[in-house]
Amino acid sequence: MLSPHFLKGAAPGWPEYMADRARKCGNADLKAFFEQGSLDPETPIKRVPMMAMDLETTGMDVTRHGIVSVGMLPFTLERIHTGQSWYRIVRPRRMLREESVVVHHITHSEVADAPDLADILPELLNRMAGYLPVVHYHPIERRFLDESVRVRLGEGLMCPMLDTMVLESRWCRQSLRARMRKWLGAQPLSIRLHESRARYNLPFYRGHHALTDALATAELFQAQVAHRFSPETPVGDLWV
């Protein structure tokens, strides 16, 4: 099996990896997900079916914390399908910390009555199948999805993603304009979700709700393509 570390920055790597996982998966739901996940890196982004996704977690350390809610909704460059949105609270395997409750406002009583992630995995994988996930800061979504699925199914979940934070970084941190700002001593521009949205005059949404943040991410990606890229941009130039 190809190592995911090989894939970063190598456009042909993801289709090969997804095909390899489809052949070797033992779990039927994971197998179906990987079978529908192969995408030619030369495909223009305007033709790519995308799924905005956000996970709220009890913390940042995948070895000590867990997923507490999942929000997803499908979209294209032209339309966000809010009627097909999907939101679930799930019960983490470790007790909620008070500081995490303050952030995402999901209470102990809510998670006590919620299903384990294992109970919603078939539906989650079915909804993700055939779509390219779009997230803001992919290390969280990728690490927590992979580890959470691995713990429950014995096999991980790695896949290509579009990351609006990475794309914003190209403009705000890596462009010639950004380097000039740094040379002149200016503070780097924030690439957090809400500050990034403000640069495109997108409305303010209260953060740390998985479905609201998924919607915010979808709108941000549409704006980024409209202003910084092109609908014809090959998806392999954008995914991570």
Side-chain angles (χ1 to χ4, degrees):
M1 182 181 296
L2 295 173
S3 167
H5 299 290
F6 163 79
L7 300 166
K8 188 173 182 179
W14 278 122
E16 295 166 6
Y17 174 79
M18 300 291 280
D20 185 66
R21 288 297 309 276
R23 288 191 298 269
K24 297 178 179 178
C25 260
N27 178 271
D29 295 315
L30 268 180
K31 185 177 183 66
F33 168 79
F34 285 115
E35 285 176 341
Q36 296 186 52
S38 183
L39 188 66
D40 187 334
E42 296 302 318
T43 305
I45 192 63
K46 68 180 182 181
R47 297 181 184 170
V48 175
M50 294 171 284
M51 181 69 74
M53 172 182 288
D54 184 74
L55 305 177
E56 291 299 311
T57 64
T58 58
M60 301 289 283
D61 185 347
V62 71
T63 65
R64 297 188 299 115
H65 303 132
I67 297 170
V68 73
S69 65
V70 182
M72 301 195 304
L73 73 166
F75 75 104
T76 65
L77 293 184
E78 292 78 28
R79 184 179 178 186
I80 298 174
H81 300 282
T82 54
Q84 299 176 39
S85 63
W86 189 73
Y87 174 72
R88 293 291 185 274
I89 294 174
V90 294
R91 185 177 66 254
R93 295 197 167 187
R94 296 177 179 85
M95 185 175 294
L96 284 177
R97 300 179 305 148
E98 291 303 323
E99 53 266 38
S100 70
V101 174
V102 170
V103 171
H104 49 60
H105 303 287
I106 296 172
T107 65
H108 295 276
S109 59
E110 286 179 296
V111 299
D113 296 329
D116 184 83
L117 185 66
D119 299 322
I120 67 164
L121 265 181
E123 185 178 3
L124 185 151
L125 291 169
N126 181 61
R127 287 178 176 272
M128 287 180 64
Y131 290 91
L132 182 61
V134 182
V135 302
H136 194 80
Y137 191 57
H138 73 279
I140 288 293
E141 272 72 16
R142 181 173 284 165
R143 287 201 304 259
F144 273 89
L145 274 176
D146 182 54
E147 179 64 18
S148 299
V149 172
R150 188 181 305 278
V151 165
R152 289 161 176 84
L153 301 182
E155 303 176 85
L157 174 59
M158 297 284 287
C159 64
M161 293 181 170
L162 296 168
D163 186 339
T164 50
M165 179 179 276
V166 169
L167 298 182
E168 199 65 10
S169 176
R170 292 187 187 183
W171 174 255
C172 295
R173 301 283 177 86
Q174 301 169 27
S175 67
L176 176 60
R177 177 176 176 271
R179 292 197 295 269
M180 287 294 293
R181 281 177 52 86
K182 183 178 180 180
W183 183 76
L184 292 171
Q187 290 293 319
L189 297 173
S190 171
I191 54 176
R192 294 171 64 90
L193 179 58
H194 300 296
E195 287 82 355
S196 296
R197 286 173 55 84
R199 277 190 285 275
Y200 301 93
N201 297 314
L202 294 170
F204 173 80
Y205 296 151
R206 180 176 179 177
H208 297 294
H209 183 284
L211 189 54
T212 303
D213 283 354
L215 173 61
T217 299
E219 291 178 344
L220 176 57
F221 183 78
Q222 289 177 327
Q224 288 174 323
V225 173
H227 289 82
R228 311 291 190 205
F229 302 99
S230 160
E232 301 294 335
T233 304
V235 67
D237 290 352
L238 302 179
W239 66 24
V240 290

